[in-house]
PDB file of all heavy atoms in Angstrom:
ATOM      1  N   GLN A  14     110.601 108.439 121.343  1.00  0.00           N
ATOM      2  CA  GLN A  14     109.990 108.687 120.034  1.00  0.00           C
ATOM      3  C   GLN A  14     110.192 107.489 119.108  1.00  0.00           C
ATOM      4  O   GLN A  14     109.262 107.057 118.436  1.00  0.00           O
ATOM      5  CB  GLN A  14     110.578 109.935 119.391  1.00  0.00           C
ATOM      6  CG  GLN A  14     109.891 110.296 118.093  1.00  0.00           C
ATOM      7  CD  GLN A  14     110.457 111.561 117.490  1.00  0.00           C
ATOM      8  OE1 GLN A  14     111.593 111.922 117.727  1.00  0.00           O
ATOM      9  NE2 GLN A  14     109.647 112.234 116.701  1.00  0.00           N
ATOM     10  N   CYS A  16     110.605 104.426 120.032  1.00  0.00           N
ATOM     11  CA  CYS A  16     109.771 103.338 120.550  1.00  0.00           C
ATOM     12  C   CYS A  16     108.334 103.504 120.078  1.00  0.00           C
ATOM     13  O   CYS A  16     107.702 102.541 119.650  1.00  0.00           O
ATOM     14  CB  CYS A  16     109.800 103.328 122.080  1.00  0.00           C
ATOM     15  SG  CYS A  16     111.380 102.832 122.766  1.00  0.00           S
ATOM     16  N   ARG A  20     106.147 101.037 117.702  1.00  0.00           N
ATOM     17  CA  ARG A  20     104.875 100.471 118.171  1.00  0.00           C
ATOM     18  C   ARG A  20     103.782 100.704 117.131  1.00  0.00           C
ATOM     19  O   ARG A  20     102.985  99.835 116.839  1.00  0.00           O
ATOM     20  CB  ARG A  20     104.470 101.135 119.483  1.00  0.00           C
ATOM     21  CG  ARG A  20     103.078 100.711 119.937  1.00  0.00           C
ATOM     22  CD  ARG A  20     102.614 101.548 121.066  1.00  0.00           C
ATOM     23  NE  ARG A  20     103.252 101.106 122.292  1.00  0.00           N
ATOM     24  CZ  ARG A  20     103.032 101.671 123.460  1.00  0.00           C
ATOM     25  NH1 ARG A  20     102.235 102.700 123.555  1.00  0.00           N
ATOM     26  NH2 ARG A  20     103.621 101.217 124.538  1.00  0.00           N
ATOM     27  N   LEU A  49      91.841  95.559  99.732  1.00  0.00           N
ATOM     28  CA  LEU A  49      93.120  95.046 100.212  1.00  0.00           C
ATOM     29  C   LEU A  49      93.613  95.795 101.443  1.00  0.00           C
ATOM     30  O   LEU A  49      94.169  95.198 102.360  1.00  0.00           O
ATOM     31  CB  LEU A  49      94.171  95.098  99.112  1.00  0.00           C
ATOM     32  CG  LEU A  49      94.167  93.907  98.170  1.00  0.00           C
ATOM     33  CD1 LEU A  49      95.270  94.009  97.150  1.00  0.00           C
ATOM     34  CD2 LEU A  49      94.263  92.598  98.909  1.00  0.00           C
ATOM     35  N   ASN A 117      79.450  95.313 105.241  1.00  0.00           N
ATOM     36  CA  ASN A 117      80.024  94.283 104.392  1.00  0.00           C
ATOM     37  C   ASN A 117      80.395  94.884 103.039  1.00  0.00           C
ATOM     38  O   ASN A 117      79.516  95.240 102.245  1.00  0.00           O
ATOM     39  CB  ASN A 117      79.028  93.130 104.210  1.00  0.00           C
ATOM     40  CG  ASN A 117      79.570  92.024 103.333  1.00  0.00           C
ATOM     41  OD1 ASN A 117      80.713  92.042 102.905  1.00  0.00           O
ATOM     42  ND2 ASN A 117      78.718  91.047 103.064  1.00  0.00           N
TER      43      ASN A 117
END
Side-chain angles (χ1 to χ4, degrees):
Q14 185 178 26
C16 290
R20 173 190 282 180
L49 275 182
N117 180 4

